Amino acid sequence: MADIDWAERANTAERAIVRRHVRRLAGVLPGTRIGRIRWPRRTPIAPFPWHYWWQAHLLDCLVDAQRRAPREARARAIAATTRSVRIHNAGSWINRYYDDIAWFGLAVQRAGGTAGRWGPSAIEAICTQLGRGWTEDGGGGIWWRRGDNSKNAPANGPAAILLARTGQVGFAAAIVDWMSDTLVDPDTGLVRDGVRVGPDGEICEVDKRIFTYCQGVHLGACVELAQRDGHQRWTDRAIAVVDAVRQRLAEPNGVLPGVGGGDGGLFAGIAARYLADAALRRPELSDAAGQLVLASAEAAWDGRMHTPLGPVFSADWRTPAPEPRPGIPESDLSVQLGGWMLMEAAARVQRGG
C-alpha cells in the first residue's frame, strides 16, 4: 500500500459526497449547509427525520479534510454547517439524546476557530448538559437520552472524549472506568452496547450486542486519557480493545464489518477514526491499529461503485457497493460519511498525523 495516495482518495470521497449530499437549508437559505440524508432521494421529500448526529459526522469529516488540505471555501462551509445545525434544531444546540450532542460537541471542538463565533457557546452548552446526564443509577454513567432507562457506550464514549479534551479529565475518567467495569465483556474484551436500569437504580438488563463504534469510542476515550493523566490503566485498556477487535470482530484480513444503512452506516467509520487516532498517538498501537485502518480502507476503495458524481461506498466494506438507487443502504448519507471518514483515517495514518 506504500504507493497509494490516501490523501487523494480522501479528496475524491469528499468531492463526491459534498456534491451529492450537501445543500443549503431548505435548498435556498443563504449562508447555510446541511447534509441531505439520502441520494438518490425518494419523493416526496420531507424535512424530517434529519438525523442530528449524522450532521455532526458530516462536520467532523469536513474538519478532517480541512486539516488534510486547508481551504478558505471549506472553512466557510464548516462555519455554515455549525450554524445550520443550530437553526435546524430550533435554535438550540441541545436535544434529548446525550449521544447526539456529544458527537456534535466533538466535531465543533475539533473545528476550533473555523466553527465560527458559535463554537464556544455550543461546547459550553453541550458539556453542561452532559454533566446533567450523569447519575449513580446503574453504578454511574450518562444516560442515552432524557427520560429513558438506558446507559450505553454510544453516549458515554464520545462524552468522555469531549470532556477530557475540554479539561474535565476527572469526569471523563469516571465515565471510562464505569464503561470498563460495566460494558466490557470479560470473556471477549469487546465493549457491549449498554445496560438498562430498573426503578430501584440497579442494572436489570445487559444489551450484549457488539458494534464497531462502541469499540471505537472506548478506545478513543482511553487514548485521550492516556495522553492527559498518564495512568497505565488507560494504555492497558486501549491495547486490550484493539486486540479484541483484531481477534474477534475484524475479518482475518483486518477489514472491519458493516451493519447496513441508517445509523449503522457510521459505525465502522467511527471505529476507523479512533483506530487511526490510537495508531498515531500510542506507539504501542501504531502497527495493530494502523493495519486495521489501511486494510479496511483498501477494501472499501476496491469495492466502491463508480458514478458520474464520484465513488459510492458499500454499506459493508467486505462486499462491493451496488448500483445506487433509492431505498438501499448505500443511498444513506451515513454510509457515505463512513466511507469518507475511513479514507481520511487512512490518509492520517499514512502521513503520520
Side-chain angles (χ1 to χ4, degrees), residues 66-93:
Q66 186 68 359
R67 292 187 173 188
R68 167 175 49 80
R71 296 173 189 161
E72 182 58 34
R74 193 189 296 109
R76 292 194 298 270
I78 288 170
T81 302
T82 304
R83 174 174 173 265
S84 300
V85 167
R86 186 179 188 182
I87 293 171
H88 201 300
N89 201 49
S92 174
W93 302 114

PDB file of all heavy atoms in Angstrom, residues 66-93:
ATOM      1  N   GLN A  66     -10.220  19.630   6.151  1.00  0.00           N
ATOM      2  CA  GLN A  66      -9.559  20.914   6.341  1.00  0.00           C
ATOM      3  C   GLN A  66      -8.175  20.737   6.940  1.00  0.00           C
ATOM      4  O   GLN A  66      -7.234  21.453   6.577  1.00  0.00           O
ATOM      5  CB  GLN A  66     -10.431  21.820   7.220  1.00  0.00           C
ATOM      6  CG  GLN A  66      -9.930  23.238   7.376  1.00  0.00           C
ATOM      7  CD  GLN A  66     -10.004  24.050   6.086  1.00  0.00           C
ATOM      8  OE1 GLN A  66     -10.410  23.566   5.046  1.00  0.00           O
ATOM      9  NE2 GLN A  66      -9.624  25.322   6.171  1.00  0.00           N
ATOM     10  N   ARG A  67      -8.034  19.782   7.826  1.00  0.00           N
ATOM     11  CA  ARG A  67      -6.716  19.515   8.398  1.00  0.00           C
ATOM     12  C   ARG A  67      -5.781  18.870   7.375  1.00  0.00           C
ATOM     13  O   ARG A  67      -4.565  19.068   7.420  1.00  0.00           O
ATOM     14  CB  ARG A  67      -6.860  18.624   9.635  1.00  0.00           C
ATOM     15  CG  ARG A  67      -7.545  19.333  10.795  1.00  0.00           C
ATOM     16  CD  ARG A  67      -7.537  18.511  12.061  1.00  0.00           C
ATOM     17  NE  ARG A  67      -8.057  19.268  13.192  1.00  0.00           N
ATOM     18  CZ  ARG A  67      -8.027  18.858  14.461  1.00  0.00           C
ATOM     19  NH1 ARG A  67      -7.495  17.682  14.740  1.00  0.00           N
ATOM     20  NH2 ARG A  67      -8.517  19.606  15.416  1.00  0.00           N
ATOM     21  N   ARG A  68      -6.364  18.110   6.476  1.00  0.00           N
ATOM     22  CA  ARG A  68      -5.567  17.477   5.425  1.00  0.00           C
ATOM     23  C   ARG A  68      -5.098  18.485   4.382  1.00  0.00           C
ATOM     24  O   ARG A  68      -3.939  18.455   3.946  1.00  0.00           O
ATOM     25  CB  ARG A  68      -6.401  16.366   4.758  1.00  0.00           C
ATOM     26  CG  ARG A  68      -5.832  15.828   3.465  1.00  0.00           C
ATOM     27  CD  ARG A  68      -6.643  14.657   2.928  1.00  0.00           C
ATOM     28  NE  ARG A  68      -8.070  14.889   2.886  1.00  0.00           N
ATOM     29  CZ  ARG A  68      -8.727  15.575   1.948  1.00  0.00           C
ATOM     30  NH1 ARG A  68      -8.046  16.147   0.958  1.00  0.00           N
ATOM     31  NH2 ARG A  68     -10.037  15.695   1.981  1.00  0.00           N
ATOM     32  N   ALA A  69      -5.990  19.383   3.969  1.00  0.00           N
ATOM     33  CA  ALA A  69      -5.675  20.337   2.907  1.00  0.00           C
ATOM     34  C   ALA A  69      -6.481  21.604   3.135  1.00  0.00           C
ATOM     35  O   ALA A  69      -7.581  21.746   2.596  1.00  0.00           O
ATOM     36  CB  ALA A  69      -6.002  19.730   1.538  1.00  0.00           C
ATOM     37  N   PRO A  70      -5.987  22.537   3.947  1.00  0.00           N
ATOM     38  CA  PRO A  70      -6.773  23.720   4.312  1.00  0.00           C
ATOM     39  C   PRO A  70      -7.192  24.545   3.097  1.00  0.00           C
ATOM     40  O   PRO A  70      -6.385  24.794   2.191  1.00  0.00           O
ATOM     41  CB  PRO A  70      -5.811  24.512   5.208  1.00  0.00           C
ATOM     42  CG  PRO A  70      -4.822  23.508   5.701  1.00  0.00           C
ATOM     43  CD  PRO A  70      -4.671  22.509   4.603  1.00  0.00           C
ATOM     44  N   ARG A  71      -8.476  24.949   3.102  1.00  0.00           N
ATOM     45  CA  ARG A  71      -9.017  25.796   2.044  1.00  0.00           C
ATOM     46  C   ARG A  71     -10.007  26.762   2.654  1.00  0.00           C
ATOM     47  O   ARG A  71     -10.795  26.397   3.541  1.00  0.00           O
ATOM     48  CB  ARG A  71      -9.728  24.959   0.967  1.00  0.00           C
ATOM     49  CG  ARG A  71      -8.821  24.003   0.216  1.00  0.00           C
ATOM     50  CD  ARG A  71      -9.607  23.098  -0.691  1.00  0.00           C
ATOM     51  NE  ARG A  71      -8.755  22.049  -1.251  1.00  0.00           N
ATOM     52  CZ  ARG A  71      -9.215  20.925  -1.776  1.00  0.00           C
ATOM     53  NH1 ARG A  71     -10.517  20.695  -1.799  1.00  0.00           N
ATOM     54  NH2 ARG A  71      -8.374  20.031  -2.273  1.00  0.00           N
ATOM     55  N   GLU A  72      -9.985  27.986   2.165  1.00  0.00           N
ATOM     56  CA  GLU A  72     -10.880  29.009   2.693  1.00  0.00           C
ATOM     57  C   GLU A  72     -12.345  28.650   2.451  1.00  0.00           C
ATOM     58  O   GLU A  72     -13.201  28.856   3.315  1.00  0.00           O
ATOM     59  CB  GLU A  72     -10.553  30.361   2.065  1.00  0.00           C
ATOM     60  CG  GLU A  72     -11.406  31.507   2.594  1.00  0.00           C
ATOM     61  CD  GLU A  72     -11.302  31.687   4.103  1.00  0.00           C
ATOM     62  OE1 GLU A  72     -10.206  31.452   4.658  1.00  0.00           O
ATOM     63  OE2 GLU A  72     -12.330  32.046   4.725  1.00  0.00           O
ATOM     64  N   ALA A  73     -12.647  28.103   1.288  1.00  0.00           N
ATOM     65  CA  ALA A  73     -14.037  27.753   0.986  1.00  0.00           C
ATOM     66  C   ALA A  73     -14.549  26.689   1.941  1.00  0.00           C
ATOM     67  O   ALA A  73     -15.704  26.735   2.384  1.00  0.00           O
ATOM     68  CB  ALA A  73     -14.161  27.271  -0.454  1.00  0.00           C
ATOM     69  N   ARG A  74     -13.696  25.720   2.281  1.00  0.00           N
ATOM     70  CA  ARG A  74     -14.127  24.685   3.211  1.00  0.00           C
ATOM     71  C   ARG A  74     -14.279  25.235   4.619  1.00  0.00           C
ATOM     72  O   ARG A  74     -15.175  24.835   5.367  1.00  0.00           O
ATOM     73  CB  ARG A  74     -13.158  23.504   3.200  1.00  0.00           C
ATOM     74  CG  ARG A  74     -13.756  22.293   3.907  1.00  0.00           C
ATOM     75  CD  ARG A  74     -12.765  21.177   4.121  1.00  0.00           C
ATOM     76  NE  ARG A  74     -12.268  20.607   2.889  1.00  0.00           N
ATOM     77  CZ  ARG A  74     -11.025  20.780   2.437  1.00  0.00           C
ATOM     78  NH1 ARG A  74     -10.167  21.551   3.117  1.00  0.00           N
ATOM     79  NH2 ARG A  74     -10.627  20.206   1.321  1.00  0.00           N
ATOM     80  N   ALA A  75     -13.398  26.154   5.013  1.00  0.00           N
ATOM     81  CA  ALA A  75     -13.541  26.793   6.325  1.00  0.00           C
ATOM     82  C   ALA A  75     -14.899  27.486   6.436  1.00  0.00           C
ATOM     83  O   ALA A  75     -15.565  27.414   7.476  1.00  0.00           O
ATOM     84  CB  ALA A  75     -12.399  27.782   6.555  1.00  0.00           C
ATOM     85  N   ARG A  76     -15.315  28.140   5.363  1.00  0.00           N
ATOM     86  CA  ARG A  76     -16.638  28.777   5.367  1.00  0.00           C
ATOM     87  C   ARG A  76     -17.743  27.728   5.472  1.00  0.00           C
ATOM     88  O   ARG A  76     -18.757  27.937   6.153  1.00  0.00           O
ATOM     89  CB  ARG A  76     -16.825  29.626   4.116  1.00  0.00           C
ATOM     90  CG  ARG A  76     -15.936  30.862   4.066  1.00  0.00           C
ATOM     91  CD  ARG A  76     -16.396  31.835   2.991  1.00  0.00           C
ATOM     92  NE  ARG A  76     -16.337  31.251   1.657  1.00  0.00           N
ATOM     93  CZ  ARG A  76     -15.282  31.321   0.854  1.00  0.00           C
ATOM     94  NH1 ARG A  76     -14.170  31.940   1.264  1.00  0.00           N
ATOM     95  NH2 ARG A  76     -15.308  30.787  -0.350  1.00  0.00           N
ATOM     96  N   ALA A  77     -17.553  26.595   4.812  1.00  0.00           N
ATOM     97  CA  ALA A  77     -18.551  25.526   4.873  1.00  0.00           C
ATOM     98  C   ALA A  77     -18.656  24.946   6.281  1.00  0.00           C
ATOM     99  O   ALA A  77     -19.753  24.595   6.743  1.00  0.00           O
ATOM    100  CB  ALA A  77     -18.207  24.424   3.874  1.00  0.00           C
ATOM    101  N   ILE A  78     -17.534  24.850   6.980  1.00  0.00           N
ATOM    102  CA  ILE A  78     -17.548  24.350   8.363  1.00  0.00           C
ATOM    103  C   ILE A  78     -18.350  25.296   9.253  1.00  0.00           C
ATOM    104  O   ILE A  78     -19.195  24.861  10.045  1.00  0.00           O
ATOM    105  CB  ILE A  78     -16.108  24.177   8.876  1.00  0.00           C
ATOM    106  CG1 ILE A  78     -15.448  22.978   8.182  1.00  0.00           C
ATOM    107  CG2 ILE A  78     -16.076  23.997  10.396  1.00  0.00           C
ATOM    108  CD1 ILE A  78     -13.957  22.856   8.419  1.00  0.00           C
ATOM    109  N   ALA A  79     -18.086  26.586   9.135  1.00  0.00           N
ATOM    110  CA  ALA A  79     -18.841  27.556   9.927  1.00  0.00           C
ATOM    111  C   ALA A  79     -20.318  27.518   9.569  1.00  0.00           C
ATOM    112  O   ALA A  79     -21.200  27.569  10.460  1.00  0.00           O
ATOM    113  CB  ALA A  79     -18.279  28.959   9.711  1.00  0.00           C
ATOM    114  N   ALA A  80     -20.634  27.399   8.280  1.00  0.00           N
ATOM    115  CA  ALA A  80     -22.031  27.372   7.851  1.00  0.00           C
ATOM    116  C   ALA A  80     -22.737  26.117   8.355  1.00  0.00           C
ATOM    117  O   ALA A  80     -23.904  26.172   8.762  1.00  0.00           O
ATOM    118  CB  ALA A  80     -22.106  27.442   6.320  1.00  0.00           C
ATOM    119  N   THR A  81     -22.045  24.982   8.339  1.00  0.00           N
ATOM    120  CA  THR A  81     -22.648  23.739   8.823  1.00  0.00           C
ATOM    121  C   THR A  81     -22.915  23.814  10.313  1.00  0.00           C
ATOM    122  O   THR A  81     -23.975  23.386  10.794  1.00  0.00           O
ATOM    123  CB  THR A  81     -21.731  22.548   8.493  1.00  0.00           C
ATOM    124  OG1 THR A  81     -21.508  22.503   7.082  1.00  0.00           O
ATOM    125  CG2 THR A  81     -22.348  21.242   8.941  1.00  0.00           C
ATOM    126  N   THR A  82     -21.967  24.352  11.063  1.00  0.00           N
ATOM    127  CA  THR A  82     -22.159  24.514  12.507  1.00  0.00           C
ATOM    128  C   THR A  82     -23.409  25.352  12.781  1.00  0.00           C
ATOM    129  O   THR A  82     -24.278  24.964  13.581  1.00  0.00           O
ATOM    130  CB  THR A  82     -20.926  25.183  13.135  1.00  0.00           C
ATOM    131  OG1 THR A  82     -19.752  24.424  12.820  1.00  0.00           O
ATOM    132  CG2 THR A  82     -21.071  25.294  14.646  1.00  0.00           C
ATOM    133  N   ARG A  83     -23.495  26.478  12.130  1.00  0.00           N
ATOM    134  CA  ARG A  83     -24.648  27.369  12.323  1.00  0.00           C
ATOM    135  C   ARG A  83     -25.946  26.712  11.872  1.00  0.00           C
ATOM    136  O   ARG A  83     -26.989  26.834  12.533  1.00  0.00           O
ATOM    137  CB  ARG A  83     -24.412  28.661  11.532  1.00  0.00           C
ATOM    138  CG  ARG A  83     -25.579  29.631  11.500  1.00  0.00           C
ATOM    139  CD  ARG A  83     -25.158  30.928  10.821  1.00  0.00           C
ATOM    140  NE  ARG A  83     -26.311  31.817  10.619  1.00  0.00           N
ATOM    141  CZ  ARG A  83     -27.010  31.882   9.490  1.00  0.00           C
ATOM    142  NH1 ARG A  83     -26.668  31.123   8.455  1.00  0.00           N
ATOM    143  NH2 ARG A  83     -28.028  32.710   9.385  1.00  0.00           N
ATOM    144  N   SER A  84     -25.894  25.958  10.791  1.00  0.00           N
ATOM    145  CA  SER A  84     -27.099  25.372  10.226  1.00  0.00           C
ATOM    146  C   SER A  84     -27.710  24.315  11.136  1.00  0.00           C
ATOM    147  O   SER A  84     -28.939  24.163  11.195  1.00  0.00           O
ATOM    148  CB  SER A  84     -26.794  24.765   8.860  1.00  0.00           C
ATOM    149  OG  SER A  84     -26.315  25.746   7.968  1.00  0.00           O
ATOM    150  N   VAL A  85     -26.859  23.560  11.833  1.00  0.00           N
ATOM    151  CA  VAL A  85     -27.377  22.556  12.753  1.00  0.00           C
ATOM    152  C   VAL A  85     -28.216  23.224  13.843  1.00  0.00           C
ATOM    153  O   VAL A  85     -29.297  22.753  14.202  1.00  0.00           O
ATOM    154  CB  VAL A  85     -26.226  21.725  13.355  1.00  0.00           C
ATOM    155  CG1 VAL A  85     -26.697  20.899  14.539  1.00  0.00           C
ATOM    156  CG2 VAL A  85     -25.618  20.823  12.278  1.00  0.00           C
ATOM    157  N   ARG A  86     -27.729  24.351  14.354  1.00  0.00           N
ATOM    158  CA  ARG A  86     -28.493  25.063  15.378  1.00  0.00           C
ATOM    159  C   ARG A  86     -29.803  25.599  14.821  1.00  0.00           C
ATOM    160  O   ARG A  86     -30.852  25.498  15.472  1.00  0.00           O
ATOM    161  CB  ARG A  86     -27.662  26.213  15.953  1.00  0.00           C
ATOM    162  CG  ARG A  86     -28.347  26.911  17.124  1.00  0.00           C
ATOM    163  CD  ARG A  86     -27.486  28.030  17.670  1.00  0.00           C
ATOM    164  NE  ARG A  86     -28.042  28.562  18.895  1.00  0.00           N
ATOM    165  CZ  ARG A  86     -27.519  29.575  19.567  1.00  0.00           C
ATOM    166  NH1 ARG A  86     -26.412  30.163  19.132  1.00  0.00           N
ATOM    167  NH2 ARG A  86     -28.077  30.015  20.677  1.00  0.00           N
ATOM    168  N   ILE A  87     -29.780  26.136  13.626  1.00  0.00           N
ATOM    169  CA  ILE A  87     -31.001  26.645  13.018  1.00  0.00           C
ATOM    170  C   ILE A  87     -32.024  25.521  12.855  1.00  0.00           C
ATOM    171  O   ILE A  87     -33.197  25.652  13.229  1.00  0.00           O
ATOM    172  CB  ILE A  87     -30.701  27.303  11.655  1.00  0.00           C
ATOM    173  CG1 ILE A  87     -29.868  28.567  11.853  1.00  0.00           C
ATOM    174  CG2 ILE A  87     -32.003  27.645  10.923  1.00  0.00           C
ATOM    175  CD1 ILE A  87     -29.342  29.154  10.548  1.00  0.00           C
ATOM    176  N   HIS A  88     -31.567  24.406  12.301  1.00  0.00           N
ATOM    177  CA  HIS A  88     -32.480  23.286  12.064  1.00  0.00           C
ATOM    178  C   HIS A  88     -32.987  22.701  13.370  1.00  0.00           C
ATOM    179  O   HIS A  88     -34.093  22.146  13.419  1.00  0.00           O
ATOM    180  CB  HIS A  88     -31.772  22.206  11.239  1.00  0.00           C
ATOM    181  CG  HIS A  88     -32.697  21.284  10.519  1.00  0.00           C
ATOM    182  ND1 HIS A  88     -33.631  20.501  11.166  1.00  0.00           N
ATOM    183  CD2 HIS A  88     -32.840  21.015   9.192  1.00  0.00           C
ATOM    184  CE1 HIS A  88     -34.297  19.780  10.274  1.00  0.00           C
ATOM    185  NE2 HIS A  88     -33.837  20.088   9.064  1.00  0.00           N
ATOM    186  N   ASN A  89     -32.186  22.822  14.423  1.00  0.00           N
ATOM    187  CA  ASN A  89     -32.560  22.275  15.728  1.00  0.00           C
ATOM    188  C   ASN A  89     -33.318  23.295  16.568  1.00  0.00           C
ATOM    189  O   ASN A  89     -33.201  23.336  17.790  1.00  0.00           O
ATOM    190  CB  ASN A  89     -31.302  21.801  16.476  1.00  0.00           C
ATOM    191  CG  ASN A  89     -31.619  20.802  17.562  1.00  0.00           C
ATOM    192  OD1 ASN A  89     -32.329  19.834  17.348  1.00  0.00           O
ATOM    193  ND2 ASN A  89     -31.070  21.026  18.748  1.00  0.00           N
ATOM    194  N   ALA A  90     -34.093  24.144  15.906  1.00  0.00           N
ATOM    195  CA  ALA A  90     -34.960  25.128  16.571  1.00  0.00           C
ATOM    196  C   ALA A  90     -34.181  26.102  17.441  1.00  0.00           C
ATOM    197  O   ALA A  90     -34.641  26.497  18.522  1.00  0.00           O
ATOM    198  CB  ALA A  90     -36.040  24.427  17.383  1.00  0.00           C
ATOM    199  N   GLY A  91     -32.982  26.482  16.989  1.00  0.00           N
ATOM    200  CA  GLY A  91     -32.210  27.494  17.692  1.00  0.00           C
ATOM    201  C   GLY A  91     -31.467  27.006  18.914  1.00  0.00           C
ATOM    202  O   GLY A  91     -30.982  27.814  19.710  1.00  0.00           O
ATOM    203  N   SER A  92     -31.335  25.702  19.084  1.00  0.00           N
ATOM    204  CA  SER A  92     -30.666  25.136  20.262  1.00  0.00           C
ATOM    205  C   SER A  92     -29.571  24.168  19.830  1.00  0.00           C
ATOM    206  O   SER A  92     -29.664  23.521  18.781  1.00  0.00           O
ATOM    207  CB  SER A  92     -31.683  24.394  21.134  1.00  0.00           C
ATOM    208  OG  SER A  92     -31.027  23.731  22.210  1.00  0.00           O
ATOM    209  N   TRP A  93     -28.533  24.054  20.663  1.00  0.00           N
ATOM    210  CA  TRP A  93     -27.504  23.045  20.443  1.00  0.00           C
ATOM    211  C   TRP A  93     -27.916  21.703  21.038  1.00  0.00           C
ATOM    212  O   TRP A  93     -27.255  20.690  20.784  1.00  0.00           O
ATOM    213  CB  TRP A  93     -26.183  23.470  21.091  1.00  0.00           C
ATOM    214  CG  TRP A  93     -25.632  24.773  20.629  1.00  0.00           C
ATOM    215  CD1 TRP A  93     -25.488  25.919  21.368  1.00  0.00           C
ATOM    216  CD2 TRP A  93     -25.142  25.088  19.311  1.00  0.00           C
ATOM    217  NE1 TRP A  93     -24.943  26.919  20.603  1.00  0.00           N
ATOM    218  CE2 TRP A  93     -24.719  26.444  19.336  1.00  0.00           C
ATOM    219  CE3 TRP A  93     -25.018  24.370  18.126  1.00  0.00           C
ATOM    220  CZ2 TRP A  93     -24.171  27.077  18.222  1.00  0.00           C
ATOM    221  CZ3 TRP A  93     -24.481  25.002  17.013  1.00  0.00           C
ATOM    222  CH2 TRP A  93     -24.066  26.334  17.061  1.00  0.00           C
TER     223      TRP A  93
END
